[in-house]
Amino acid sequence: MNFLEERIVKDGIVREGNVLKVDSFLNHQMDISLFEQMGEEFKRRFADKPINKILTIEASGIGIACIAAKYFNAPVVFAKKSKSINIEGEMYVAEVESFTHKCKNQVIVSKKFLNEGDHVLIIDDFLANGCALQGLISIVNSAGATVEGIGIAIEKGFQAGGSVIRNLGYQLESLAIVESMDAATGKITFREQ
Amino acid sequence: MNFLEERIVKDGIVREGNVLKVDSFLNHQMDISLFEQMGEEFKRRFADKPINKILTIEASGIGIACIAAKYFNAPVVFAKKSKSINIEGEMYVAEVESFTHKCKNQVIVSKKFLNEGDHVLIIDDFLANGCALQGLISIVNSAGATVEGIGIAIEKGFQAGGSVIRNLGYQLESLAIVESMDAATGKITFREQ
């Protein structure tokens, strides 16, 4: 097990319905030392890519992206979730349909901060069905920029998001891929990487 | 002028209605080198305080708080904004009324991550009327924890939020305090600190 898998086993909580709570270190309380390890590991995995910008989405992707950004010496742009279509100024907009929550959301990024010369690393905390991630990729493509890679903290390997993105040819690196979880025993099985 | 005031003059945009747009470096695209300077400066200003936790609020406080956290060697907790009263589990809840937006919101933090032994530095990007900040202080007090200080990037000194908080006796440190802005000329005047 790597450092993140060990931490998930130690402090993650498995709930009924394939819910994995990691709010004590990842997405409500945030362990910055852990984020630094994650940033270093993303840099190792994307070392050969000419990344000049990191794109994430509010809210829980922001901390990971900001700490990772130090290792890439790049600014971070975070996409905003919006239920409104009343956008001030010039924005890239992606319509994102959540299969889980049965609702449509917009993901928006100002056109000022993403251009065709940009080489983008997308970072987020979780990947399950991948709806938010699909929106971010769509926005990078709208800008004519290049998705150099996608770095995820925890992927639910038993949901479709990851395989769809890999099938599309993107370099998707998830630091921990959960293959299965058992709420009764608390046991978590990770995919060998 | 300090480093943040200089950056505001260089890249900030003044709009009608006392709007200061700093989305190219602070709250949409984020300049991580600048955030590191801000983190160092917060550490200098709160050097004598026994801070063991940083509290911020989604979304645009998170990046600043995470970078600042390195200088305090402390975890970050971010409060969530919620319109719902349907809260799963045990949460501290503050009702926050926005005078600007004429709406009520809830600010919530899990009780697991804030306790009476905690010495908290609150960090946010903007302070104007101070509604969100009042909610964060209320939550720290509900937990029986101690507000050791409040670190803000940009305060609108011509709005009431800052003076209310200082009147209450809190150590509030704003790295830049805007006294006035002129949308016609773009001129920004800062308070001497």
Side-chain angles (χ1 to χ4, degrees), chain B residues 81-117:
Chain B
K81 294 171 187 167
S82 170
K83 288 190 188 297
S84 150
I85 54 164
N86 185 13
I87 307 299
E88 182 207 337
E90 293 255 300
M91 295 289 201
Y92 298 114
V93 180
E95 292 280 350
V96 171
E97 189 165 2
S98 166
F99 294 99
T100 317
H101 299 104
K102 313 279 180 212
C103 65
K104 279 191 185 180
N105 275 294
Q106 289 186 329
V107 175
I108 61 175
V109 171
S110 169
K111 289 187 178 176
K112 290 186 289 184
F113 306 131
L114 212 50
N115 305 293
E116 59 181 324

Side-chain angles (χ1 to χ4, degrees), chain A residues 43-61:
Chain A
K43 178 63 189 177
R44 197 182 65 77
R45 297 194 186 195
F46 297 106
D48 57 335
K49 295 296 182 77
I51 290 156
N52 77 318
K53 194 159 284 185
I54 293 180
L55 178 66
T56 187
I57 184 163
E58 66 177 6
S60 44

Side-chain angles (χ1 to χ4, degrees), chain A residues 34-139:
Chain A
L34 180 77
F35 285 17
E36 289 181 332
Q37 281 183 283
M38 291 165 51
E40 267 184 56
E41 179 62 19
F42 284 134
K43 178 63 189 177
R44 197 182 65 77
R45 297 194 186 195
F46 297 106
D48 57 335
K49 295 296 182 77
I51 290 156
N52 77 318
K53 194 159 284 185
I54 293 180
L55 178 66
T56 187
I57 184 163
E58 66 177 6
S60 44
I62 297 174
I64 300 167
C66 284
I67 299 295
K70 294 189 312 162
Y71 299 91
F72 293 91
N73 201 22
V76 175
V77 175
F78 70 89
K80 300 179 185 192
K81 294 171 185 166
S82 169
K83 287 190 187 298
S84 150
I85 54 164
N86 185 12
I87 307 299
E88 182 208 337
E90 291 256 300
M91 295 289 201
Y92 298 114
V93 180
E95 292 280 353
V96 171
E97 191 166 1
S98 167
F99 294 99
T100 317
H101 299 103
K102 312 280 180 213
C103 64
K104 278 191 185 180
N105 275 294
Q106 289 186 330
V107 175
I108 61 175
V109 171
S110 169
K111 290 187 178 176
K112 289 186 292 184
F113 306 131
L114 211 50
N115 306 293
E116 59 181 322
D118 282 327
H119 295 262
V120 179
L121 173 63
I122 296 174
I123 283 189
D124 206 0
D125 59 335
F126 258 98
L127 171 60
N129 281 315
C131 297
L133 183 54
Q134 290 153 22
L136 294 178
I137 292 171
S138 160
I139 280 174

Side-chain angles (χ1 to χ4, degrees), chain A residues 15 23-24 27-30 32 36 53 58-59 62-63 66 69-70 75-78 88 110 112-113, chain B residues 15 23-24 27-30 32 36 53 58-59 62-63 66-67 69-70 75-78 88 110 112-113:
Chain A
R15 293 269 174 83
D23 57 355
S24 67
N27 52 16
H28 187 13
Q29 182 166 251
M30 299 181 284
I32 305 302
E36 289 181 332
K53 194 159 284 185
E58 66 177 6
I62 297 174
C66 284
K70 294 189 312 162
V76 175
V77 175
F78 70 89
E88 182 208 337
S110 169
K112 289 186 292 184
F113 306 131
Chain B
R15 294 268 174 84
D23 58 353
S24 67
N27 52 16
H28 187 13
Q29 182 165 252
M30 299 181 284
I32 305 304
E36 288 181 332
K53 195 159 281 185
E58 64 179 9
I62 296 174
C66 284
I67 299 295
K70 294 190 312 163
V76 175
V77 175
F78 70 88
E88 182 207 337
S110 169
K112 290 186 289 184
F113 306 131

